[in-house]
Every structure is written in structure tokens, then in C-alpha cells.
Amino acid sequence: MLLARYQQELLEAGCDEAGRGCLAGPVFAAAVILPPDFDHDLLNDSKLLVEEVRYALRLEIEQKAIAFAVASVDNVEIDEINILNASFLAMHRAIEKLTLEPKFLIIDGNRFNKYKATPHQCIVKGDSKYFSIAAASILAKTYRDDYMKQIAARHPEYNWHSNKGYPTINHRETVLRLGHTPYHRLTFKVTAPGMELNEEY
């Protein structure tokens, strides 16, 4: 069962990112402030939900959140500062866009670059433990998917409308055969044996 808050005293925002392991496209991040009494039976880590449910939940999150924001860091910036720092930067940009300033941040994962003087707590698998992080994961994932579907029309041979830029076998084979597009991350080695393969996206 997910929890509404990590702490009770300060206005809290949950943050998460999507697209960190992709070969192409930006990394997206979201920051979400939910009402303190927020509850939902279906809301969970976006990776555990089918696409239709993710998009239905996105509408509910955007209607019920006190504040939310989505931001991204493109592939060029990712190559310049590396994907870990790019993920943190995308979260910083999302937090900056919030219409209310959070006084405490809960971050999915085990590392984070401090945002200004705002206290934070990193939570491993936080998107399956706290509603606001789960909500952020859904917004980041669906907004990124929308972006990848949009640019897929420019390079249909890479099948981004289906794989969303993730390193599926088909995507990797296409890169090796045709080369990179302007949306690919040049610092990501396509043939790296440790690169996770995922045919579901």
C-alpha cells in the first residue's frame, strides 16, 4: 500500500524521471504535490501499469494535484553532462516550474543533487511506496512517450512509436545498420553487453 506523505510538517513534492536507459530522446522528469489526504487504488509505479491505465491516471493526477510540472533534458545535454546528472537536472527543472514552492522533496532512487536549500530524501523504489513519486513517474513516462511518438514520424525506421527509444533488439540493430539520428545519445554504446534489453516499450 502506498503512503501519502514521507513527513507531515512541510509541503512535499515527489519527483521521478523516465527515459534514463534509452538510446534516443530526452530524459523527462516530473514533480508532483498531492493533497495530504490523497488516496488511489490503482496509482503505482508507472512501469507496473499498462499504457491505458497510465494515461487515465495522468488525467486524475493533473486534476487532483495541488501542483505538478514536467520538464526534460535533451540528448545533446545528456551527452554533455551524462545521464545521471541529466536526470537530476530534469528533476530540478520540473521543481522550478511548480506553481507552489515545495519545502521538502522525496526523490525516487538513491542519489540526487540537492535542489537549492530544499531538504530532500532519496527513496529506493519510491515510485511503489509513495503516491506523489508514483504520480511523478506516470507524468514523466506519459509525457516522454508522447514526445517519442511525435518524433517517430520523422524517423519511422527506428520504431520509436513502439519502443519509445529504449534499447530493444530491433532498435539496436537499426542503429547499427543505419546509424544515429539527431535524437540519439552518442555516448550510449549500442552494443554494450550490459545494456538492458526491453522489448515491451
Side-chain angles (χ1 to χ4, degrees):
M1 180 178 176
L2 275 66
L3 301 173
R5 300 284 295 275
Y6 178 81
Q7 50 76 54
Q8 303 299 323
E9 292 76 28
L10 304 172
L11 185 66
E12 182 175 284
C15 303
D16 200 3
E17 51 74 28
R20 195 161 144 177
C22 295
L23 296 177
V27 60
F28 272 65
V32 180
I33 301 174
L34 293 173
D37 59 348
F38 183 87
D39 192 13
H40 201 290
D41 291 338
L42 293 179
L43 185 55
N44 206 329
D45 172 7
S46 65
K47 295 185 291 296
L48 303 178
L49 304 171
V50 298
E51 185 174 53
E52 293 79 7
V53 173
R54 283 197 295 264
Y55 278 93
L57 284 170
R58 179 169 111 178
L59 292 175
E60 286 198 60
I61 292 162
E62 293 180 348
Q63 290 168 357
K64 295 178 180 177
I66 296 172
F68 70 89
V70 180
S72 65
V73 172
D74 68 23
N75 57 299
V76 175
E77 290 179 285
I78 290 169
D79 285 337
E80 289 174 352
I81 64 175
N82 79 47
I83 186 58
L84 183 62
N85 286 321
S87 297
F88 298 154
L89 177 58
M91 289 188 199
H92 285 200
R93 288 177 176 172
I95 297 163
E96 187 74 37
K97 289 172 65 177
L98 288 169
T99 54
L100 285 175
E101 182 181 354
K103 302 302 180 183
F104 193 88
L105 304 170
I106 52 175
I107 312 294
D108 185 58
N110 61 359
R111 295 176 66 185
F112 184 63
N113 288 340
K114 191 173 182 68
Y115 176 77
K116 297 183 178 179
T118 310
H120 70 270
Q121 178 64 45
C122 294
I123 301 165
V124 175
K125 297 186 178 177
D127 49 6
S128 60
K129 296 176 182 176
Y130 290 91
F131 282 124
S132 62
I133 300 180
S137 79
I138 286 168
L139 295 190
K141 170 68 176 161
T142 55
Y143 275 84
R144 187 180 188 282
D145 284 358
D146 287 348
Y147 177 86
M148 294 306 295
K149 290 174 187 174
Q150 189 177 23
I151 65 170
R154 302 173 196 174
H155 300 278
E157 60 275 20
Y158 292 86
N159 204 26
W160 291 336
H161 66 280
S162 175
N163 64 47
K164 312 301 192 299
Y166 281 87
T168 62
I169 292 172
N170 174 266
H171 189 188
R172 296 168 92 191
E173 288 176 343
T174 304
V175 173
L176 291 172
R177 181 164 46 89
L178 299 179
H180 292 101
T181 70
Y183 297 100
H184 277 98
R185 305 172 186 179
L186 303 182
T187 53
F188 280 45
K189 292 181 172 59
V190 178
T191 55
M195 184 73 78
E196 181 180 350
L197 294 180
N198 194 326
E199 290 287 5
E200 297 178 4
Y201 286 93

PDB file of all heavy atoms in Angstrom, residues 123-150:
ATOM      1  N   ILE A 123      14.563   7.776  -1.932  1.00  0.00           N
ATOM      2  CA  ILE A 123      13.846   6.559  -1.541  1.00  0.00           C
ATOM      3  C   ILE A 123      13.956   5.541  -2.667  1.00  0.00           C
ATOM      4  O   ILE A 123      13.433   5.761  -3.773  1.00  0.00           O
ATOM      5  CB  ILE A 123      12.368   6.855  -1.243  1.00  0.00           C
ATOM      6  CG1 ILE A 123      12.252   7.902  -0.114  1.00  0.00           C
ATOM      7  CG2 ILE A 123      11.624   5.573  -0.854  1.00  0.00           C
ATOM      8  CD1 ILE A 123      10.893   8.519   0.017  1.00  0.00           C
ATOM      9  N   VAL A 124      14.664   4.462  -2.433  1.00  0.00           N
ATOM     10  CA  VAL A 124      14.801   3.399  -3.431  1.00  0.00           C
ATOM     11  C   VAL A 124      13.431   2.770  -3.681  1.00  0.00           C
ATOM     12  O   VAL A 124      12.699   2.458  -2.730  1.00  0.00           O
ATOM     13  CB  VAL A 124      15.811   2.342  -2.956  1.00  0.00           C
ATOM     14  CG1 VAL A 124      15.872   1.175  -3.940  1.00  0.00           C
ATOM     15  CG2 VAL A 124      17.194   2.970  -2.789  1.00  0.00           C
ATOM     16  N   LYS A 125      13.065   2.646  -4.946  1.00  0.00           N
ATOM     17  CA  LYS A 125      11.743   2.162  -5.355  1.00  0.00           C
ATOM     18  C   LYS A 125      10.630   3.006  -4.750  1.00  0.00           C
ATOM     19  O   LYS A 125       9.548   2.509  -4.425  1.00  0.00           O
ATOM     20  CB  LYS A 125      11.571   0.680  -4.987  1.00  0.00           C
ATOM     21  CG  LYS A 125      12.546  -0.227  -5.716  1.00  0.00           C
ATOM     22  CD  LYS A 125      12.271  -1.697  -5.453  1.00  0.00           C
ATOM     23  CE  LYS A 125      13.243  -2.570  -6.246  1.00  0.00           C
ATOM     24  NZ  LYS A 125      13.059  -4.015  -5.976  1.00  0.00           N
ATOM     25  N   GLY A 126      10.907   4.302  -4.650  1.00  0.00           N
ATOM     26  CA  GLY A 126       9.927   5.221  -4.077  1.00  0.00           C
ATOM     27  C   GLY A 126       8.638   5.306  -4.869  1.00  0.00           C
ATOM     28  O   GLY A 126       7.586   5.632  -4.314  1.00  0.00           O
ATOM     29  N   ASP A 127       8.718   4.996  -6.181  1.00  0.00           N
ATOM     30  CA  ASP A 127       7.508   5.060  -7.008  1.00  0.00           C
ATOM     31  C   ASP A 127       6.522   3.941  -6.695  1.00  0.00           C
ATOM     32  O   ASP A 127       5.396   3.949  -7.177  1.00  0.00           O
ATOM     33  CB  ASP A 127       7.855   5.068  -8.500  1.00  0.00           C
ATOM     34  CG  ASP A 127       8.842   3.992  -8.895  1.00  0.00           C
ATOM     35  OD1 ASP A 127       9.182   3.143  -8.044  1.00  0.00           O
ATOM     36  OD2 ASP A 127       9.297   4.001 -10.050  1.00  0.00           O
ATOM     37  N   SER A 128       6.931   2.974  -5.901  1.00  0.00           N
ATOM     38  CA  SER A 128       5.993   1.947  -5.444  1.00  0.00           C
ATOM     39  C   SER A 128       5.734   2.060  -3.945  1.00  0.00           C
ATOM     40  O   SER A 128       5.152   1.161  -3.344  1.00  0.00           O
ATOM     41  CB  SER A 128       6.523   0.544  -5.774  1.00  0.00           C
ATOM     42  OG  SER A 128       7.763   0.314  -5.142  1.00  0.00           O
ATOM     43  N   LYS A 129       6.146   3.208  -3.349  1.00  0.00           N
ATOM     44  CA  LYS A 129       5.964   3.409  -1.911  1.00  0.00           C
ATOM     45  C   LYS A 129       5.182   4.674  -1.567  1.00  0.00           C
ATOM     46  O   LYS A 129       4.501   4.717  -0.545  1.00  0.00           O
ATOM     47  CB  LYS A 129       7.330   3.460  -1.218  1.00  0.00           C
ATOM     48  CG  LYS A 129       8.108   2.158  -1.311  1.00  0.00           C
ATOM     49  CD  LYS A 129       9.502   2.285  -0.703  1.00  0.00           C
ATOM     50  CE  LYS A 129      10.285   0.983  -0.849  1.00  0.00           C
ATOM     51  NZ  LYS A 129      11.668   1.113  -0.346  1.00  0.00           N
ATOM     52  N   TYR A 130       5.292   5.710  -2.417  1.00  0.00           N
ATOM     53  CA  TYR A 130       4.651   6.992  -2.124  1.00  0.00           C
ATOM     54  C   TYR A 130       3.846   7.475  -3.326  1.00  0.00           C
ATOM     55  O   TYR A 130       4.318   7.430  -4.464  1.00  0.00           O
ATOM     56  CB  TYR A 130       5.704   8.043  -1.744  1.00  0.00           C
ATOM     57  CG  TYR A 130       6.329   7.758  -0.395  1.00  0.00           C
ATOM     58  CD1 TYR A 130       7.482   6.991  -0.308  1.00  0.00           C
ATOM     59  CD2 TYR A 130       5.745   8.209   0.774  1.00  0.00           C
ATOM     60  CE1 TYR A 130       8.038   6.683   0.921  1.00  0.00           C
ATOM     61  CE2 TYR A 130       6.295   7.920   2.021  1.00  0.00           C
ATOM     62  CZ  TYR A 130       7.444   7.157   2.083  1.00  0.00           C
ATOM     63  OH  TYR A 130       7.988   6.857   3.302  1.00  0.00           O
ATOM     64  N   PHE A 131       2.636   7.953  -3.045  1.00  0.00           N
ATOM     65  CA  PHE A 131       1.740   8.383  -4.122  1.00  0.00           C
ATOM     66  C   PHE A 131       2.351   9.487  -4.988  1.00  0.00           C
ATOM     67  O   PHE A 131       2.221   9.464  -6.209  1.00  0.00           O
ATOM     68  CB  PHE A 131       0.410   8.875  -3.535  1.00  0.00           C
ATOM     69  CG  PHE A 131      -0.524   7.775  -3.132  1.00  0.00           C
ATOM     70  CD1 PHE A 131      -1.012   7.694  -1.837  1.00  0.00           C
ATOM     71  CD2 PHE A 131      -0.940   6.822  -4.058  1.00  0.00           C
ATOM     72  CE1 PHE A 131      -1.898   6.686  -1.464  1.00  0.00           C
ATOM     73  CE2 PHE A 131      -1.828   5.800  -3.693  1.00  0.00           C
ATOM     74  CZ  PHE A 131      -2.303   5.734  -2.391  1.00  0.00           C
ATOM     75  N   SER A 132       3.000  10.474  -4.362  1.00  0.00           N
ATOM     76  CA  SER A 132       3.499  11.610  -5.153  1.00  0.00           C
ATOM     77  C   SER A 132       4.622  11.189  -6.093  1.00  0.00           C
ATOM     78  O   SER A 132       4.716  11.706  -7.216  1.00  0.00           O
ATOM     79  CB  SER A 132       3.957  12.744  -4.233  1.00  0.00           C
ATOM     80  OG  SER A 132       5.025  12.329  -3.409  1.00  0.00           O
ATOM     81  N   ILE A 133       5.458  10.241  -5.671  1.00  0.00           N
ATOM     82  CA  ILE A 133       6.522   9.756  -6.561  1.00  0.00           C
ATOM     83  C   ILE A 133       5.917   8.909  -7.677  1.00  0.00           C
ATOM     84  O   ILE A 133       6.313   9.012  -8.841  1.00  0.00           O
ATOM     85  CB  ILE A 133       7.590   8.962  -5.789  1.00  0.00           C
ATOM     86  CG1 ILE A 133       8.252   9.836  -4.713  1.00  0.00           C
ATOM     87  CG2 ILE A 133       8.654   8.431  -6.746  1.00  0.00           C
ATOM     88  CD1 ILE A 133       9.317   9.118  -3.898  1.00  0.00           C
ATOM     89  N   ALA A 134       4.941   8.069  -7.331  1.00  0.00           N
ATOM     90  CA  ALA A 134       4.248   7.276  -8.351  1.00  0.00           C
ATOM     91  C   ALA A 134       3.571   8.193  -9.369  1.00  0.00           C
ATOM     92  O   ALA A 134       3.631   7.944 -10.578  1.00  0.00           O
ATOM     93  CB  ALA A 134       3.218   6.358  -7.691  1.00  0.00           C
ATOM     94  N   ALA A 135       2.950   9.263  -8.886  1.00  0.00           N
ATOM     95  CA  ALA A 135       2.307  10.223  -9.784  1.00  0.00           C
ATOM     96  C   ALA A 135       3.338  10.879 -10.695  1.00  0.00           C
ATOM     97  O   ALA A 135       3.110  11.046 -11.901  1.00  0.00           O
ATOM     98  CB  ALA A 135       1.566  11.279  -8.967  1.00  0.00           C
ATOM     99  N   ALA A 136       4.488  11.235 -10.129  1.00  0.00           N
ATOM    100  CA  ALA A 136       5.558  11.833 -10.935  1.00  0.00           C
ATOM    101  C   ALA A 136       6.062  10.844 -11.980  1.00  0.00           C
ATOM    102  O   ALA A 136       6.362  11.228 -13.122  1.00  0.00           O
ATOM    103  CB  ALA A 136       6.702  12.289 -10.028  1.00  0.00           C
ATOM    104  N   SER A 137       6.149   9.575 -11.622  1.00  0.00           N
ATOM    105  CA  SER A 137       6.621   8.572 -12.578  1.00  0.00           C
ATOM    106  C   SER A 137       5.654   8.438 -13.745  1.00  0.00           C
ATOM    107  O   SER A 137       6.074   8.271 -14.898  1.00  0.00           O
ATOM    108  CB  SER A 137       6.821   7.212 -11.882  1.00  0.00           C
ATOM    109  OG  SER A 137       5.610   6.511 -11.693  1.00  0.00           O
ATOM    110  N   ILE A 138       4.362   8.544 -13.474  1.00  0.00           N
ATOM    111  CA  ILE A 138       3.355   8.438 -14.534  1.00  0.00           C
ATOM    112  C   ILE A 138       3.398   9.650 -15.452  1.00  0.00           C
ATOM    113  O   ILE A 138       3.355   9.520 -16.685  1.00  0.00           O
ATOM    114  CB  ILE A 138       1.953   8.247 -13.916  1.00  0.00           C
ATOM    115  CG1 ILE A 138       1.841   6.804 -13.384  1.00  0.00           C
ATOM    116  CG2 ILE A 138       0.852   8.537 -14.926  1.00  0.00           C
ATOM    117  CD1 ILE A 138       0.649   6.559 -12.515  1.00  0.00           C
ATOM    118  N   LEU A 139       3.520  10.838 -14.876  1.00  0.00           N
ATOM    119  CA  LEU A 139       3.592  12.028 -15.713  1.00  0.00           C
ATOM    120  C   LEU A 139       4.857  12.019 -16.568  1.00  0.00           C
ATOM    121  O   LEU A 139       4.812  12.291 -17.774  1.00  0.00           O
ATOM    122  CB  LEU A 139       3.545  13.298 -14.858  1.00  0.00           C
ATOM    123  CG  LEU A 139       2.260  13.573 -14.084  1.00  0.00           C
ATOM    124  CD1 LEU A 139       2.309  14.985 -13.493  1.00  0.00           C
ATOM    125  CD2 LEU A 139       1.025  13.414 -14.947  1.00  0.00           C
ATOM    126  N   ALA A 140       5.987  11.705 -15.961  1.00  0.00           N
ATOM    127  CA  ALA A 140       7.244  11.679 -16.714  1.00  0.00           C
ATOM    128  C   ALA A 140       7.178  10.656 -17.850  1.00  0.00           C
ATOM    129  O   ALA A 140       7.578  10.942 -18.982  1.00  0.00           O
ATOM    130  CB  ALA A 140       8.414  11.374 -15.781  1.00  0.00           C
ATOM    131  N   LYS A 141       6.663   9.485 -17.547  1.00  0.00           N
ATOM    132  CA  LYS A 141       6.583   8.419 -18.549  1.00  0.00           C
ATOM    133  C   LYS A 141       5.628   8.780 -19.692  1.00  0.00           C
ATOM    134  O   LYS A 141       5.969   8.629 -20.880  1.00  0.00           O
ATOM    135  CB  LYS A 141       6.146   7.118 -17.874  1.00  0.00           C
ATOM    136  CG  LYS A 141       5.783   5.970 -18.801  1.00  0.00           C
ATOM    137  CD  LYS A 141       6.971   5.436 -19.553  1.00  0.00           C
ATOM    138  CE  LYS A 141       6.580   4.211 -20.391  1.00  0.00           C
ATOM    139  NZ  LYS A 141       7.572   3.956 -21.453  1.00  0.00           N
ATOM    140  N   THR A 142       4.445   9.259 -19.374  1.00  0.00           N
ATOM    141  CA  THR A 142       3.463   9.522 -20.433  1.00  0.00           C
ATOM    142  C   THR A 142       3.852  10.737 -21.273  1.00  0.00           C
ATOM    143  O   THR A 142       3.663  10.731 -22.496  1.00  0.00           O
ATOM    144  CB  THR A 142       2.051   9.718 -19.854  1.00  0.00           C
ATOM    145  OG1 THR A 142       2.072  10.748 -18.856  1.00  0.00           O
ATOM    146  CG2 THR A 142       1.525   8.418 -19.238  1.00  0.00           C
ATOM    147  N   TYR A 143       4.396  11.771 -20.643  1.00  0.00           N
ATOM    148  CA  TYR A 143       4.834  12.925 -21.428  1.00  0.00           C
ATOM    149  C   TYR A 143       6.012  12.552 -22.328  1.00  0.00           C
ATOM    150  O   TYR A 143       6.110  13.018 -23.463  1.00  0.00           O
ATOM    151  CB  TYR A 143       5.202  14.096 -20.518  1.00  0.00           C
ATOM    152  CG  TYR A 143       4.009  14.934 -20.120  1.00  0.00           C
ATOM    153  CD1 TYR A 143       3.199  14.566 -19.049  1.00  0.00           C
ATOM    154  CD2 TYR A 143       3.678  16.097 -20.824  1.00  0.00           C
ATOM    155  CE1 TYR A 143       2.096  15.325 -18.689  1.00  0.00           C
ATOM    156  CE2 TYR A 143       2.583  16.860 -20.467  1.00  0.00           C
ATOM    157  CZ  TYR A 143       1.795  16.477 -19.397  1.00  0.00           C
ATOM    158  OH  TYR A 143       0.693  17.227 -19.040  1.00  0.00           O
ATOM    159  N   ARG A 144       6.898  11.718 -21.831  1.00  0.00           N
ATOM    160  CA  ARG A 144       8.015  11.281 -22.671  1.00  0.00           C
ATOM    161  C   ARG A 144       7.519  10.402 -23.820  1.00  0.00           C
ATOM    162  O   ARG A 144       7.973  10.553 -24.966  1.00  0.00           O
ATOM    163  CB  ARG A 144       9.059  10.526 -21.849  1.00  0.00           C
ATOM    164  CG  ARG A 144      10.293  10.223 -22.669  1.00  0.00           C
ATOM    165  CD  ARG A 144      11.380   9.466 -21.944  1.00  0.00           C
ATOM    166  NE  ARG A 144      12.547   9.417 -22.804  1.00  0.00           N
ATOM    167  CZ  ARG A 144      12.682   8.591 -23.835  1.00  0.00           C
ATOM    168  NH1 ARG A 144      11.731   7.705 -24.100  1.00  0.00           N
ATOM    169  NH2 ARG A 144      13.765   8.634 -24.599  1.00  0.00           N
ATOM    170  N   ASP A 145       6.596   9.491 -23.527  1.00  0.00           N
ATOM    171  CA  ASP A 145       6.041   8.653 -24.589  1.00  0.00           C
ATOM    172  C   ASP A 145       5.382   9.505 -25.667  1.00  0.00           C
ATOM    173  O   ASP A 145       5.527   9.230 -26.871  1.00  0.00           O
ATOM    174  CB  ASP A 145       5.022   7.669 -24.013  1.00  0.00           C
ATOM    175  CG  ASP A 145       5.671   6.500 -23.291  1.00  0.00           C
ATOM    176  OD1 ASP A 145       6.923   6.424 -23.266  1.00  0.00           O
ATOM    177  OD2 ASP A 145       4.932   5.660 -22.741  1.00  0.00           O
ATOM    178  N   ASP A 146       4.645  10.538 -25.253  1.00  0.00           N
ATOM    179  CA  ASP A 146       4.013  11.430 -26.231  1.00  0.00           C
ATOM    180  C   ASP A 146       5.064  12.080 -27.129  1.00  0.00           C
ATOM    181  O   ASP A 146       4.876  12.193 -28.345  1.00  0.00           O
ATOM    182  CB  ASP A 146       3.216  12.528 -25.508  1.00  0.00           C
ATOM    183  CG  ASP A 146       1.939  11.993 -24.878  1.00  0.00           C
ATOM    184  OD1 ASP A 146       1.548  10.853 -25.177  1.00  0.00           O
ATOM    185  OD2 ASP A 146       1.344  12.730 -24.070  1.00  0.00           O
ATOM    186  N   TYR A 147       6.164  12.516 -26.520  1.00  0.00           N
ATOM    187  CA  TYR A 147       7.227  13.160 -27.287  1.00  0.00           C
ATOM    188  C   TYR A 147       7.842  12.179 -28.285  1.00  0.00           C
ATOM    189  O   TYR A 147       8.058  12.519 -29.459  1.00  0.00           O
ATOM    190  CB  TYR A 147       8.309  13.690 -26.343  1.00  0.00           C
ATOM    191  CG  TYR A 147       9.483  14.310 -27.070  1.00  0.00           C
ATOM    192  CD1 TYR A 147       9.469  15.648 -27.456  1.00  0.00           C
ATOM    193  CD2 TYR A 147      10.610  13.545 -27.395  1.00  0.00           C
ATOM    194  CE1 TYR A 147      10.536  16.207 -28.147  1.00  0.00           C
ATOM    195  CE2 TYR A 147      11.680  14.102 -28.085  1.00  0.00           C
ATOM    196  CZ  TYR A 147      11.638  15.431 -28.457  1.00  0.00           C
ATOM    197  OH  TYR A 147      12.696  15.982 -29.143  1.00  0.00           O
ATOM    198  N   MET A 148       8.113  10.953 -27.837  1.00  0.00           N
ATOM    199  CA  MET A 148       8.745   9.971 -28.728  1.00  0.00           C
ATOM    200  C   MET A 148       7.814   9.577 -29.871  1.00  0.00           C
ATOM    201  O   MET A 148       8.260   9.363 -31.004  1.00  0.00           O
ATOM    202  CB  MET A 148       9.178   8.738 -27.934  1.00  0.00           C
ATOM    203  CG  MET A 148      10.291   8.995 -26.926  1.00  0.00           C
ATOM    204  SD  MET A 148      11.777   9.786 -27.631  1.00  0.00           S
ATOM    205  CE  MET A 148      12.347   8.508 -28.757  1.00  0.00           C
ATOM    206  N   LYS A 149       6.526   9.500 -29.602  1.00  0.00           N
ATOM    207  CA  LYS A 149       5.565   9.219 -30.682  1.00  0.00           C
ATOM    208  C   LYS A 149       5.555  10.363 -31.690  1.00  0.00           C
ATOM    209  O   LYS A 149       5.398  10.143 -32.896  1.00  0.00           O
ATOM    210  CB  LYS A 149       4.167   9.016 -30.096  1.00  0.00           C
ATOM    211  CG  LYS A 149       3.998   7.731 -29.288  1.00  0.00           C
ATOM    212  CD  LYS A 149       2.632   7.702 -28.635  1.00  0.00           C
ATOM    213  CE  LYS A 149       2.476   6.533 -27.676  1.00  0.00           C
ATOM    214  NZ  LYS A 149       1.192   6.581 -26.935  1.00  0.00           N
ATOM    215  N   GLN A 150       5.710  11.574 -31.195  1.00  0.00           N
ATOM    216  CA  GLN A 150       5.704  12.747 -32.064  1.00  0.00           C
ATOM    217  C   GLN A 150       6.897  12.746 -33.019  1.00  0.00           C
ATOM    218  O   GLN A 150       6.744  13.002 -34.217  1.00  0.00           O
ATOM    219  CB  GLN A 150       5.718  14.000 -31.191  1.00  0.00           C
ATOM    220  CG  GLN A 150       5.489  15.294 -31.930  1.00  0.00           C
ATOM    221  CD  GLN A 150       5.441  16.473 -30.973  1.00  0.00           C
ATOM    222  OE1 GLN A 150       5.962  16.431 -29.873  1.00  0.00           O
ATOM    223  NE2 GLN A 150       4.804  17.544 -31.409  1.00  0.00           N
TER     224      GLN A 150
END
